Each structure stands twice: as C-alpha cells, then as structure tokens.
Amino acid sequence: MRRRRLLPVLAGAVYGAYGAGSTAGCAAPYRSGSGRPGDPIVLTLLSHYASEPLRSAMQRAVDAWNTQHERVKVVAMAVRFQDLLTTIMVRQAAGRGADIIHPYCLWVGQLVRAGVLRPAPPATAARIRHGFTRPVVASASVGGQVIGYPTEVQAYALYCNRRLLRAAGRHEPPRTWEEMEEAAYGAARRDRHGNTLLQGLALSRTDDSTVVNQTLALLASHGGSFLSQDARRTTIDSPAGRAVLDLEHRLITGGASDPGTDVMKAFPAGRVAMAISANWWTGSLRTTMGRAYRDVQVVPLPGPAPGNRGTLTTGFLMGVNAKSRHPRAAWEFLRWLNEEPTAAARPGAASAVTRMSALQMSVGTMTGRTADMRALAAAGGEANLAPFLDALEYATPEPNGPHAQRAKALLRKNIEEMWTGRRSVVSALRSATRQIDQELSREGTAVTARTPGTAVTARTPGTVVTARTPGTAGTRPERPGRPGRPGSAERLITPLTSRRAGAR
Amino acid sequence: MLAELRHTASGCRTRRRRLITAYLFLTPVLLFFAVFLVLPLLFAVLLSQSHWDGFDLTDITFVGAENFAGLFSRGSTFLTPVLTNTLLYALGTVALALTGSLLVAHCIDRLRHQGVWRTLYFLPVVTTVVAVGNVWKYMYEPGGLVNGLLNRLGLGSVAFLQDPRTALPSVVVVQAWASVGAAVLVLTAGLKSIPRSYYEAAELDGAGQFTVFLRITLPLLRPSLLFVCVTQFITGLQSFALIVVMTGDGGPGDATNVAALEMYQQAFTYGDWGLAGAAAFVLFAVILVLTLVQLWIFRERRRGEAV
C-alpha cells in the first residue's frame, strides 16, 4: 500500500523537478542577468556567425570583453543565416529575444516596424554617422534614424578570371558594358548537346540576393535606382532598368550566360570568365581555388560608358533589442566592439583599428570604416578588396523599408520569368512594377531610409506625421529600463493604430 | 433484495471506476491534441483574421476578412499560379503514383519473394525527403545522369529544373516515385484480399488477362484505390519539403510555388502571419472539398454497382 502511494508521489516530484528545471532553463537568458548588486548582467547576442571562422572570431571578441569586464557578461549565440530571421521572430514572440541582434540590413525596416529593434541613442547615432561611410550608415538606418552599428558590409564588383579572358583574346578587364558583353560572347563555350562548358558572364540565381543584387548593381552603374526617393514606389521600369534587363536578356539568348548553372561552384572550377558578386566571395574563392586564385582579378563594375561609377552595397548591423532589460549595457558592449581601437594594423605601424574591423578582416569581409579596412588590407596584401573599398564611397545602399524583403522576392520572380523566356523585358518590368508598387502601398506607411538629419515622414491614409531625426528638436531621448514598447520616435514612424489603416 | 441492491451499487462503482480509468488513459492523448492541435487551430483562426508581424503577441490586430480578400485580389499570385500549381502537383502525383503502384503491385502479386520486392519499392518512403530531393536534383542537372542518358541517345539536354515548363512536372515525377512504395504496400494487401475463386471462375470462362484485370481486379480493389487516392491527394496538396529542396523557393519565377511554400514564406520571410493563416484555411477548404468529392464519387459507383 505504502509502495502504491509512494510511486505517484515520486512521479510527481520527478515531473515537478523537471518542469521547474525546464522553466528555469527556458528563462535562463533573461533571469541570469538581473543586474542586482553582486549579480552580473548577462547580455545575449544572436548572430548568424554559426560556422567557422565566423564563430571563433566572434567568440574571441566576446571572450576579450568578458575577461575585461566584471559587471556585464556577454553570451554569444549563433544560427545559420537562413534561420536567423525565423529565430529572431520565434524567440521574440516567446519573450526570449536576445539583447543584441545582428540582422541583415534588408530586414531592418520590418524589425523596426514590429518594435523589435531600438534606435541607437543620439550620441551613439552621431558617432556612427561620423565614423562610417555614408552608404553604410544609410543601410543601417530606417527613416533617417540610425538603428545600430553597421558591421559586415558587402559591395558588388566584377570578378574576372584573367586566364579565361586571355584565352578569349582580352588582355584587360572590361571597362564598359560593351566590352563586358564582347568578352562574355568571346569566352562562352557550349558542347554539341547544348550543355554549357564555359560561361562568359554568369548570372546567378542561387537566392534572392544573388539574383537581385547583381541586377541592382548594374542598375546603379547606369545611374538608375530600384525605389523612388520616398520609397513608396519602384523605379525599375525606367530607361536604366530596361537597359539592364535587355543586357541580361541578350547575354542569355546569345549563349554567354546560363542561369541554370550554379555560379558559386562553376567560377571556382574555372567554368566562368566573369561574375558579379560581393566582397565576401574573395575569402571563399581564395580557399577553394588554391593556386588558381592568382587568375582572379576584381575590378569596379563597368557602366554603359567609360568612367561610369555605381554599384550596390548591402550589409548587417548590430542593434539592441527593444525588449532588452539592459540597453545601456548592450550599447556599451557595442561601442567597445565597434569603436575602441584594438591593435595596430601592421606591427610597428601607428594606426590602430577597431575590434569589429579586425574581426571582419579576419573572416574575409569588411566594415564601413574604410580607413580601418585600407590599413588591414595593406597589412594582409589582399589587392582584390581595393575595388570594394573604393565602392563604399559611391555605392547605393540596398533599400530596407518594411516590405523590402517582399519587394526583392517579387523582383526576383519577374527577373527569372524574363530569363526563362516566360516574359519579355517590357512585360517583366511592368509586372514587377505593378506587384512591387502594390506591396509598397499596402499599409499606407512609408518608412524610408534617408540621408541622416533630414525629416522622417510617416504617411498613413489621410495623415502625414513628421518627426525630426535624433539630435534635432522634436524627438524625445530613449527611455532605458522601459522594456516592451518602442520609444516615442519609433511610434511616430510606425503608429500601431495605423498599421492596417490602408486596406490592401 | 438488499443483496441485489448491494450488487447493483457495486456494479455501478465498478463501471464508474472503469470509466474513470478509461478517461485517465485518454487524458494524456486529449491533452496532447488540445495543446498541439486545438490551440494552434484556434490561433490560426484568429491569425487568419488579423494582422501580426510574428514578433510580439500583444501586437495582433483584428482585420476581419481583409486577409482573405488580399489572397484573391487583383494582382495576387495566390490563385494563379500558386493554387493552380498546388492542384496540378497533387493531380500529377496521384495519377503517376496510382498508375505506377497499380502496375508494380500487380506484377509483384505474381512473383516469388514478394516481401523482398515490397521492401525494395518501400525504400524511398523511409528515405528522407532531403536525400531524395538532392539526389534527383543532381540527376536532373545539365551534366547529370538524366541529361547524360539523353545525350547518349543523341538528344539535346533539357533544363529540367531551370525551365518553367518542365520544372513542375520534374518535381511531380520525384514525388510520385517517392510515394509509390507506400501505395504498393496498400495495393498488394488489397490484391491479396481478392478471393482466388473469382480468378479461377474467370479462367474457366475463358476470360483474358486484360478482362480479368478490368472486370475483377479493379472493382474489388476499389477500397484500397480509394484509400491511396485520398491520402496521396492530401499529401500532394500539402507538399512543401521536396519543392524547397529541389527548387529553393518555388522557382524559376513562380513555376513550382505551391500553397504550403507560399504560406511559409508569407509567415517566416515576409512576416505576414495573417495572410499565411488565411492561405492555410483556403488550402484546408480545398483539401476538404476535394476529399469529399472523391469519397462521393466512389460511393456513387458503389451504389450504382449495388443497383
């Protein structure tokens, strides 16, 4: 009898202990950082640096902070880039969002609208504007407000395989679209069954980024833009847009490009003469190509005429969660990581670089601090990074409004329909314009990335609300220690009551 | 009398105890269903009529039928090509899988070592979708096995997954191939249940192979065929993983985009959970209607036969 009673009691105790343990485990990231005297503040940092060498590079920086600081400790968490947005979403909905988030700039409008990211404090924002290049600051801002520190920066340029171009009779990299096309037709090879042996200029369709960004980089090289100034409609159906899509269409129908091939594999294998890609690829190519990397030369993206300059820049930022209980500590960690100089770029050299610049260079990418990057590039001897660094001065930032991801996907689908012969260039441009405009006008609220310091305009049907960006009159300072809701300035940009005011 | 009453009371107590025990045994399962089925279902009902970014549960805003209107508004891709692709995908899968499995089951039924054959055909079912999708993806590639065979035959290469005209049929073939094993298992069991005496009688009457198949095998196999047809159709309408593995995001363009994939993208990529919820209910309605239609057609036939 006693045994019979004992069993349920034991089972209950085990279940209770498990439940309590799992609850404590779930809440650990939040509860462990109470901030009471004697109890260290524990900040969580969520990034996409889940694979090597990214994970180790970030962990080294976090370890250095934890060694130097007694009161505030940082715990780095990482997921794959493909899972980053979903992870942010799920953790946030579950009330377990990380204190510091490291999102792709394209999502920032969406994250600000949803009240996930807290705008940078005025002093921090001012330092960011001063320390980083203009396009990089713009991509880390929404509606003129700086949201976080720009970290990993990507610009687009032309990768050339000099050996293949020489075989096609070209001894210099192309400087205009015409030269690029000629080189592409000259280098392309197919077998008698129509299989592509060698592509002249590869058009990648690995994901939205590879499809759209190469097109938008070419658009910028022609002086065009994807969205209008107020970001309320697309301007892709323009003479520049038509010229870009015509160029891509000619390359495909002329046999110089085959979007069915995986460029990320074909270029290192020596089956692509030219490709448009970002600076992260240099590190990857150097590893995968070995000695053959000597043939790789990166040059600025050609424009229609000699001397045309223009390309696209994208990137990531590190911002503080609007629900973080310790925003001051989080911003202090970000300041330490992104602003404090860590070491001289070269032994004996006077110039020192920030920890983040050193971190990015160690993994083959860049920050928007061009002085840091030039110093590091000189020390590392990577000549192929120079065109990307130059591009940071004149590149166009990727638009990052609340519907940026959807607009990008819509453009991609129409580009692919044109590539595969389902639509003509004109039809693809019209269709893309109609779909993207419909998407951008869906909620009647435009959150635009503008030049810092200008007025932020938030439109809802029938109303126009204007606020000043940080540092100017009209914006209240952030209220640390009041987690859960965005500050007043954010509310002005994305008023909750008006979110669904505009019917689809 | 008293003894009788005592006996009745004791019987009642026993029955009640049994009832309580039964409910106690059922409770974990009911709780499981409540937590993982009923609650999500109610949440989905709420979401389909709301706007939610997916980040903060306090930010759910009721918008009524706006999401459903958005799905079918002018310029929306949900009806065409997404829902059309979904139906074509399901229809193609069912047609191929049913034909193939019927043929294979019929052949296996006449072989020795039937267990070995059934196991061989069942193997794709237990293989992960990711592995199946990737292997076929490589086979379809321009320099892959399928194009290699075509080239050997003197034919030109086909851009199976890159051409919008061939992309959807290419994935349909893989889905059908992967689901033939499960259908074969059901159909061979169905074939076993047909009495041999019918075939012997047909043989005595001098019926040919084709007539036997058409007049005896097919009608008596109808319950198994109905089961295969309904389950394969539902699986086809809900397909997601194979398309993601083989085409990434339903490309090229929207050529292989299906409802489940569209829902996932609306929710997790674009942060529009309301639209995703509405799409889920539309898909649920489509599945329900098509299943009822299939059941009705088969019932009508059975009734017709009885008359």
Side-chain angles (χ1 to χ4, degrees):
Chain A
M1 186 70 184
R2 207 179 271 171
R3 200 174 160 191
R4 265 190 204 167
R5 280 184 188 163
L6 189 66
L7 275 173
V9 171
L10 270 176
V14 168
Y15 183 78
Y18 171 76
S22 60
T23 311
C26 284
Y30 264 56
R31 292 193 181 197
S32 55
S34 69
R36 282 192 292 268
D39 189 2
I41 292 171
V42 179
L43 300 172
T44 47
L45 186 159
L46 177 64
S47 77
H48 60 288
Y49 288 177
S51 58
E52 295 299 343
L54 300 164
R55 181 196 284 269
S56 298
M58 178 58 78
Q59 193 56 51
R60 275 196 297 275
V62 166
D63 288 345
W65 165 274
N66 287 340
T67 312
Q68 293 171 23
H69 297 81
E70 285 298 316
R71 173 85 172 135
V72 180
K73 301 291 179 191
V74 177
V75 176
M77 302 179 295
V79 292
R80 293 182 320 149
F81 170 68
Q82 294 91 325
D83 301 326
L84 184 60
L85 184 60
T86 312
T87 308
I88 294 173
M89 200 178 271
V90 172
R91 287 186 71 98
Q92 199 75 10
R96 297 179 60 211
D99 297 281
I100 299 165
I101 307 173
H102 192 189
Y104 179 25
C105 289
L106 185 75
W107 309 330
V108 177
Q110 186 181 343
L111 293 175
V112 168
R113 184 184 61 163
V116 176
L117 278 173
R118 182 188 290 269
T124 308
R127 286 201 304 274
I128 291 170
R129 285 199 191 97
H130 182 257
F132 292 84
T133 52
R134 186 193 53 78
V136 171
V137 175
S139 67
S141 307
V142 172
Q145 282 194 304
V146 177
I147 306 301
Y149 279 95
T151 55
E152 183 185 330
V153 175
Q154 307 293 342
Y156 280 74
L158 187 70
Y159 281 79
C160 300
N161 186 321
R162 283 185 292 195
R163 181 177 59 81
L164 297 177
L165 286 180
R166 272 198 303 271
R170 284 206 67 90
H171 296 278
E172 290 295 324
R175 287 166 302 167
T176 62
W177 281 11
E178 197 180 340
E179 288 179 11
M180 189 166 71
E181 259 194 283
E182 277 174 16
Y185 296 131
R189 298 276 181 277
R190 280 177 189 258
D191 69 9
R192 63 191 174 91
H193 299 295
N195 297 313
T196 303
L197 300 175
L198 184 61
Q199 284 192 80
L201 176 67
L203 291 174
S204 175
R205 59 162 294 236
T206 307
D207 54 36
D208 284 343
S209 295
T210 61
V211 177
V212 176
N213 293 0
Q214 65 196 349
T215 301
L216 294 188
L218 283 168
L219 184 71
S221 78
H222 198 303
S225 65
F226 179 37
L227 298 183
S228 61
Q229 277 287 316
D230 60 2
R232 291 176 62 79
R233 61 187 180 84
T234 177
T235 48
I236 191 77
D237 193 2
S238 61
R242 272 193 293 278
V244 172
L245 262 63
D246 272 331
L247 171 69
E248 292 181 354
H249 189 251
R250 280 199 305 274
L251 287 165
I252 292 167
T253 51
S257 300
D258 176 10
T261 312
D262 186 346
V263 183
M264 302 302 151
K265 289 178 188 165
F267 190 93
R271 291 189 282 117
V272 171
M274 292 176 289
I276 299 162
S277 193
N279 41 282
W280 67 267
W281 213 24
T282 55
S284 167
L285 289 176
R286 201 189 321 184
T287 311
T288 50
M289 291 180 76
R291 285 170 63 86
Y293 183 71
R294 287 177 308 177
D295 294 324
V296 177
Q297 183 183 9
V298 180
V299 294
L301 197 65
N308 282 153
R309 279 198 327 172
T311 188
L312 185 78
T313 179
T314 67
F316 287 78
L317 65 82
M318 273 199 183
V320 176
N321 196 325
K323 291 194 170 180
S324 171
R325 293 171 62 192
H326 311 290
R328 280 179 195 279
W331 282 116
E332 175 52 24
F333 168 74
L334 290 180
R335 189 201 61 75
W336 174 87
L337 185 66
N338 291 279
E339 290 186 34
E340 272 195 16
T342 175
R346 204 183 310 171
S351 63
V353 298
T354 63
R355 287 175 194 281
M356 184 50 84
S357 293
L359 188 159
Q360 294 300 332
M361 189 67 183
S362 73
V363 295
T365 56
M366 315 188 298
T367 63
R369 292 185 187 275
T370 44
D372 279 6
M373 297 315 301
R374 284 193 199 286
L376 287 164
E382 174 53 278
N384 278 334
L385 276 184
F388 296 111
L389 285 167
D390 294 339
L392 290 185
E393 302 293 341
Y394 60 82
T396 308
E398 185 180 32
N400 66 354
H403 299 287
Q405 178 71 64
R406 181 75 175 138
K408 192 170 191 172
L410 290 170
L411 181 60
R412 177 202 178 161
K413 286 181 189 300
N414 283 286
I415 289 173
E416 285 188 351
E417 296 227 317
M418 183 273 290
W419 282 358
T420 50
R422 271 202 162 181
R423 285 186 185 279
S424 66
V425 168
V426 173
S427 165
L429 285 168
R430 279 188 192 150
S431 165
T433 302
R434 193 181 64 247
Q435 292 174 358
I436 295 167
D437 283 353
Q438 190 176 351
E439 182 64 25
L440 293 176
S441 65
R442 253 178 51 191
E443 293 181 32
T445 304
V447 181
T448 60
R450 287 174 166 217
T451 312
T454 58
V456 182
T457 306
R459 287 190 181 83
T460 60
T463 60
V464 177
V465 184
T466 304
R468 304 304 301 176
T469 51
T472 59
T475 306
R476 285 180 224 158
E478 67 156 336
R479 285 172 287 180
R482 186 176 172 270
R485 308 299 307 172
S488 57
E490 292 163 85
R491 281 178 173 277
L492 276 173
I493 297 169
T494 54
L496 285 173
T497 48
S498 66
R499 280 195 190 162
R500 304 297 288 181
R504 249 178 227 120
Chain B
M1 183 67 181
L2 194 64
E4 205 172 291
L5 275 173
R6 270 185 194 157
H7 183 72
T8 315
S10 155
C12 278
R13 271 201 301 275
T14 311
R15 217 169 28 247
R16 200 181 304 142
R17 259 206 306 274
R18 278 182 185 163
L19 209 64
I20 290 168
T21 313
Y23 275 116
L24 278 175
F25 271 108
L26 285 174
T27 304
V29 180
L30 289 175
L31 273 175
F32 184 86
F33 275 117
V35 172
F36 295 105
L37 197 79
V38 180
L39 282 180
L41 190 72
L42 294 175
F43 190 53
V45 172
L46 173 74
L47 279 185
S48 68
Q49 296 170 63
S50 313
H51 169 73
W52 187 46
D53 290 325
F55 294 102
D56 191 340
L57 286 166
T58 60
D59 271 355
I60 298 176
T61 322
F62 185 75
V63 294
E66 191 188 293
N67 291 322
F68 291 95
L71 282 179
F72 299 103
S73 66
R74 192 171 167 270
S76 164
T77 54
F78 185 71
L79 197 62
T80 322
V82 175
L83 212 52
T84 319
N85 282 348
T86 313
L87 290 172
L88 288 173
Y89 184 87
L91 211 64
T93 306
V94 169
L96 281 180
L98 208 61
T99 315
S101 55
L102 196 59
L103 198 70
V104 171
H106 191 67
C107 293
I108 286 178
D109 198 42
R110 289 151 183 271
L111 292 174
R112 290 175 66 193
H113 312 297
Q114 290 183 16
V116 176
W117 291 106
R118 274 202 296 265
T119 308
L120 280 177
Y121 277 96
F122 196 72
L123 275 178
V125 180
V126 293
T127 312
T128 63
V129 179
V130 179
V132 169
N134 273 315
V135 167
W136 277 89
K137 194 175 158 184
Y138 284 118
M139 281 165 54
Y140 277 143
E141 275 195 351
L145 183 69
V146 181
N147 272 318
L149 285 172
L150 289 176
N151 293 164
R152 281 289 171 102
L153 295 170
L155 300 167
S157 292
V158 179
F160 288 100
L161 295 173
Q162 284 78 40
D163 189 332
R165 287 164 300 188
T166 53
L168 191 67
S170 302
V171 186
V172 164
V173 167
V174 181
Q175 176 74 46
W177 175 82
S179 48
V180 156
V184 163
L185 218 59
V186 175
L187 294 180
T188 45
L191 287 171
K192 287 266 171 285
S193 67
I194 300 173
R196 290 284 121 191
S197 54
Y198 290 0
Y199 292 109
E200 286 162 10
E203 202 178 337
L204 285 174
D205 287 346
Q209 290 267 341
F210 186 69
T211 313
V212 169
F213 180 76
L214 209 65
R215 298 294 172 93
I216 297 174
T217 308
L218 266 188
L220 293 176
L221 205 56
R222 191 165 291 152
S224 307
L225 286 173
L226 172 68
F227 177 79
V228 170
C229 199
V230 169
T231 52
Q232 296 280 2
F233 215 90
I234 291 173
T235 311
L237 288 170
Q238 292 178 329
S239 274
F240 168 78
L242 187 67
I243 290 171
V244 169
V245 172
M246 294 190 72
T247 69
D249 66 340
D254 261 328
T256 57
N257 196 6
V258 288
L261 180 57
E262 180 70 9
M263 269 181 249
Y264 176 82
Q265 288 188 329
Q266 287 293 347
F268 287 103
T269 312
Y270 312 136
D272 200 338
W273 285 77
L275 212 62
F281 272 92
V282 172
L283 184 64
F284 171 74
V286 169
I287 291 175
L288 185 69
V289 168
L290 288 175
T291 306
L292 289 176
V293 166
Q294 287 176 77
L295 292 173
W296 180 73
I297 289 171
F298 275 83
R299 198 184 63 174
E300 281 298 296
R301 284 191 179 170
R302 272 208 300 273
R303 210 179 269 169
E305 276 165 15
V307 171

